[in-house]
Amino acid sequence: MPNHFNIKDITKDLNIDYHTFLHQSQRLFIEEKLKEIKAEIHEIAGKYNIRSIAEFDKLYQEGKIEEHTSMEDYKRLDRLEYQRDKLNTYLQQMKSKNGPQ
C-alpha cells in the first residue's frame, strides 16, 4: 500500500489549523535549506580562508589565486550567497506577516 497522505486529513486528525500547518511547514523547509546552504558556504569559504564572495574577488584582484583553478568554487559561492540572501528575505517576510513562530 503506498504511503500517500492528505494534509487536510493530518490537520483534521491533529486538530491543527490547515493554514498554520502550511505556514509552519514552509518556514521549517526554508530554515532547513538555509542550514544546508550555510554549510556549503562555510566549506567553500574555509577552503580559501574567506568570508564572502567579495573577499573571493579580492583574492583574484590581488593575484593570490588563479581563476582556472577556482572558478567553479567562485560561481558556486556566488550562487549560494544569492540563495541564502533570498531565503533570509522570505523568512523575514513570513515573520513580519505572521509574527515570530
Side-chain angles (χ1 to χ4, degrees):
M1 185 162 115
N3 290 334
H4 295 280
F5 60 91
N6 181 317
I7 293 173
K8 288 187 179 190
D9 290 339
I10 293 171
T11 58
K12 182 180 175 186
D13 288 345
L14 298 175
N15 195 30
I16 300 170
D17 177 70
Y18 177 78
H19 295 289
T20 300
F21 180 85
L22 290 179
H23 174 76
Q24 289 180 353
S25 297
Q26 290 170 338
R27 183 180 52 81
L28 290 171
F29 175 83
I30 290 171
E31 288 172 349
E32 192 61 34
K33 194 67 178 166
L34 266 171
K35 286 179 191 175
E36 293 171 16
I37 288 170
K38 286 177 181 180
E40 287 185 62
I41 288 172
H42 181 73
E43 183 180 325
I44 294 170
K47 183 175 177 180
Y48 297 94
N49 198 26
I50 58 171
R51 291 178 295 205
S52 68
I53 197 71
E55 290 183 16
F56 217 142
D57 281 332
K58 188 175 178 184
L59 291 178
Y60 282 136
Q61 291 169 1
E62 294 173 351
K64 293 183 178 178
I65 56 174
E66 298 289 326
E67 281 187 35
H68 71 278
T69 60
S70 59
M71 187 52 69
E72 288 304 313
D73 286 337
Y74 178 89
K75 289 179 192 176
R76 183 80 182 132
L77 180 60
D78 189 42
R79 181 71 183 153
L80 289 167
E81 285 189 356
Y82 171 80
Q83 290 174 338
R84 179 201 59 203
D85 295 345
K86 290 299 279 184
L87 290 175
N88 276 325
T89 299
Y90 293 142
L91 267 183
Q92 290 304 315
Q93 289 172 350
M94 290 174 82
K95 287 178 181 178
S96 68
K97 264 187 169 178
N98 299 300
Q101 297 291 321

